[in-house]
């Protein structure tokens, strides 16, 4: 009797099995799509942050040019600024948020130095020397985070 019942319902059994198989395949495809989509977004986000950091490094290097103009009569301080500019120019970009914060701090310190040099008519004083030390210290801290 059971054999007759199974024989009579075999198209239904095969239909259920095929339906389950199709459902499993659809779920797998959706999961793969979600995984790849998240991975692509993460890569794009990292690339955007890396570009942002490269742009910030380039802007910081260009900002030192203004400091060189302001310190036009102080050759010794200009030499230190040129060395700083070279160090900034060759910083390694990073998508890490912490590194971006260090680069923003460097930007702000360069801005503070611009103000200080403007007030002192291009002459270095304790404030500008302190700002230069702070920039170098921030760059050192940034290097530790990148490693």
């Amino acid at each position: 009797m059971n054999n007759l019942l199974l024989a009579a319902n075999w198209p239904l059994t095969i239909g259920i099995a095929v339906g389950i198989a199709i459902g499993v395949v659809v779920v797998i495809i959706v999961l793969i799509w979600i995984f790849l989509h998240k991975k692509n977004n993460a890569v794009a986000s990292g690339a955007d942050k890396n570009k942002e950091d490269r742009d910030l490094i380039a802007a910081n290097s260009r900002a030192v040019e203004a400091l060189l103009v302001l310190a036009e009569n102080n050759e010794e301080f200009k030499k230190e600024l040129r060395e700083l500019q070279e160090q900034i120019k060759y910083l390694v970009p990073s998508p890490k948020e912490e590194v971006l914060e260090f680069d923003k701090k460097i930007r702000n310190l360069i801005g503070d130095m611009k103000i200080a040099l403007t007030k002192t008519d291009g002459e270095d004083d304790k404030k500008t020397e302190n700002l230069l030390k702070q920039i170098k210290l921030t760059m050192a801290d940034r290097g530790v985070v990148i490693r």
Side-chain angles (χ1 to χ4, degrees), residues 93-109:
S94 172
K96 292 181 181 178
E97 189 65 37
E98 192 175 2
V99 173
L100 283 171
E101 292 305 315
F102 280 118
D103 288 334
K104 290 175 184 176
K105 183 176 180 182
I106 292 168
R107 177 187 62 198
N108 293 339
L109 290 168

Side-chain angles (χ1 to χ4, degrees), residues 14-24:
I14 290 177
I16 292 172
V18 169
I20 290 172
I22 290 173
V24 168

Side-chain angles (χ1 to χ4, degrees), residues 8-103:
N9 290 326
W10 72 269
L12 180 64
T13 306
I14 290 177
I16 292 172
V18 169
I20 290 172
I22 290 173
V24 168
V25 168
V26 168
V27 167
I28 290 172
I29 290 172
V30 168
L31 290 174
I32 290 172
W33 182 82
I34 289 171
F35 174 76
L36 291 176
H37 184 69
K38 282 185 177 180
K39 184 177 178 184
N40 287 341
N41 283 345
V43 169
S45 175
D48 291 345
K49 286 195 183 290
N50 204 13
K51 181 183 179 337
E52 181 183 352
D53 194 40
R54 280 194 319 266
D55 292 345
L56 198 50
I57 290 169
N60 286 342
S61 180
R62 286 189 306 270
V64 176
E65 283 294 325
L67 299 179
L68 288 165
V69 170
L70 289 170
E72 65 184 335
N73 296 326
N74 190 339
E75 290 302 319
E76 189 175 317
F77 194 63
K78 282 175 66 173
K79 181 182 174 194
E80 289 184 60
L81 290 174
R82 281 191 195 99
E83 289 172 6
L84 176 69
Q85 187 178 32
E86 285 298 308
Q87 291 170 352
I88 290 173
K89 188 187 302 185
Y90 294 108
L91 288 175
V92 176
S94 172
K96 292 181 181 178
E97 189 65 37
E98 192 175 2
V99 173
L100 283 171
E101 292 305 315
F102 280 118
D103 288 334

